[in-house]
Amino acid sequence: MNDRIAVWLVRYRIFLSVIGLLGVIALGYGVSKLYMNNSYKVFYDEDNPNRMAREFIKSTYSSDNSILFVVAAKDGEIFTRETLATIERITEQGW
């Protein structure tokens, strides 16, 4: 049996080489179309309550383009009227 397979492989080596080469080209073309999508949205339908809740929270409380303001009081006490008024003014100007 092994001898017949070996003879067949040698006899049709050019045909098998062409088929193998075409297979590699086809697989190479297919691999170029692969991509990774790491978004949670691919796992949920548009009307899924979990997805809608997540998008509501994200649009209300967070964003991908955020700026962080760090405020430090000179006297060490952040919860004074003046400091909180300053933080409120900075926040309003930031929006």
Side-chain angles (χ1 to χ4, degrees), residues 14-86:
I14 294 176
F15 174 74
L16 293 172
S17 297
V18 170
I19 293 296
L21 183 62
L22 290 175
V24 167
I25 290 171
L27 288 174
Y29 178 75
V31 167
S32 70
K33 302 297 181 191
L34 291 177
Y35 67 95
M36 180 64 109
N37 186 352
N38 60 355
S39 173
Y40 68 92
K41 294 178 182 179
V42 299
F43 298 109
Y44 301 103
D45 293 330
E46 297 243 353
D47 59 346
N48 184 291
N50 293 329
R51 179 177 172 177
M52 292 169 61
R54 165 126 167 91
E55 290 177 358
F56 173 76
I57 289 171
K58 186 176 179 183
S59 67
T60 303
Y61 298 109
S62 69
S63 177
D64 292 339
N65 52 355
S66 299
I67 296 176
L68 176 67
F69 293 103
V70 178
V71 178
K74 290 183 181 179
D75 61 358
E77 184 62 40
I78 196 84
F79 296 107
T80 63
R81 288 190 183 273
E82 295 81 21
T83 306
L84 291 176
T86 302

